[in-house]
Amino acid sequence: MPNVTLYIATEQMPATEKLIELSGDCIELCTRVLQAALKNVHVIYVEVRRGHGHPVFAEVQYRLETFRTPQVMNEFTEALDSAILRRIGLTARIRCFAYSTANIHARN
């Protein structure tokens, strides 16, 4: 963890090169700002048929840690918002969800 999932409207899905650049930004933000180990970062793109709302919905799931304060998460979401706009030119709705270690059951 963290897992960054970007749901992007099918008709606005950017070229692979742009997604690679955005993935790099997401990885850098997760490792630098959220202090996650590189091996624990996942970035996923999902094409969706949008019914209403922004062309991108970014969902970030992460482990709750004392150093991931509201200020840190604000820095992260602002930087993620900027990266999405800069790399693919779309406005995103961003939502972050923290999970305590006791509530995470995982494999691999």
Side-chain angles (χ1 to χ4, degrees):
M1 228 167 186
N3 298 322
V4 180
T5 304
L6 292 114
Y7 301 90
I8 303 174
T10 300
E11 67 276 4
Q12 294 180 289
M13 183 60 77
T16 300
E17 299 79 32
K18 293 294 182 184
L19 295 179
I20 290 169
E21 292 172 352
L22 182 54
S23 292
D25 292 339
C26 291
I27 292 165
E28 191 272 334
L29 289 170
C30 288
T31 56
R32 182 181 55 80
V33 179
L34 299 184
Q35 300 179 30
L38 179 59
K39 68 179 184 173
N40 295 333
V41 176
H42 290 86
V43 180
I44 302 162
Y45 299 98
V46 179
E47 285 189 41
V48 296
R49 293 178 59 188
R50 181 172 49 137
H52 179 77
H54 295 350
V56 177
F57 178 78
E59 180 179 89
V60 182
Q61 298 177 17
Y62 64 98
R63 187 181 321 268
L64 185 62
E65 300 284 359
T66 56
F67 56 83
R68 293 181 180 149
T69 63
Q71 181 180 356
V72 167
M73 294 311 300
N74 188 50
E75 177 187 346
F76 176 81
T77 56
E78 284 184 22
L80 180 59
D81 188 39
S82 176
I84 293 168
L85 188 57
R86 183 177 71 254
R87 296 295 187 188
I88 63 174
L90 299 173
T91 301
R93 173 163 286 194
I94 301 171
R95 295 295 181 263
C96 299
F97 302 94
Y99 297 91
S100 69
T101 302
N103 291 324
I104 299 173
H105 306 279
R107 182 174 169 177
N108 296 331

